[in-house]
Amino acid sequence: MSLNDFLIVGAALFCIGLYMLITKRNAIQLLIGIELMLNAGILNLVAFGKFDRINNGGQIFALFAIVLAAATTAVALAIILTVYKKYKTIDPGRINSLKD
């Protein structure tokens, strides 16, 4: 497989994630779209790292990005659960006040 194949798959994943981010109105689906976009970036890092035989910088950055994505997803899910307890919905458009 060439570098172009990896980049095309990464671009497709990013576009699918961006489409989900724009069209979906559910907080969980928004998180899935963000994760797809992050995974597209990680795929590109690994693809470029595959062709860098000396430093393996792409794999190191990809590992850091995976750890960071896991931490942000855990925090986001905790926030979504808290919002659901209070408002009984996960639709971001229906949550109009963050007081209290």
Side-chain angles (χ1 to χ4, degrees), residues 4 11 18 21 24 29 31 37 47 52 55 64-65 68 99:
N4 284 338
L18 186 63
L21 199 64
K24 301 298 179 184
Q29 292 172 343
L31 280 177
M37 292 170 65
D52 180 22
N55 293 331
F64 180 71
L68 199 62
K99 295 179 183 177

Side-chain angles (χ1 to χ4, degrees), residues 45-46 48-62:
L45 286 172
V46 171
F48 283 119
K50 177 183 176 187
F51 295 100
D52 180 22
R53 302 272 184 214
I54 298 169
N55 293 331
N56 289 330
Q59 280 86 0
I60 294 169
F61 280 125

Side-chain angles (χ1 to χ4, degrees), residues 32-48:
I32 292 171
I34 291 170
E35 285 295 319
L36 281 174
M37 292 170 65
L38 283 172
N39 286 335
I42 291 169
L43 178 66
N44 286 336
L45 286 172
V46 171
F48 283 119

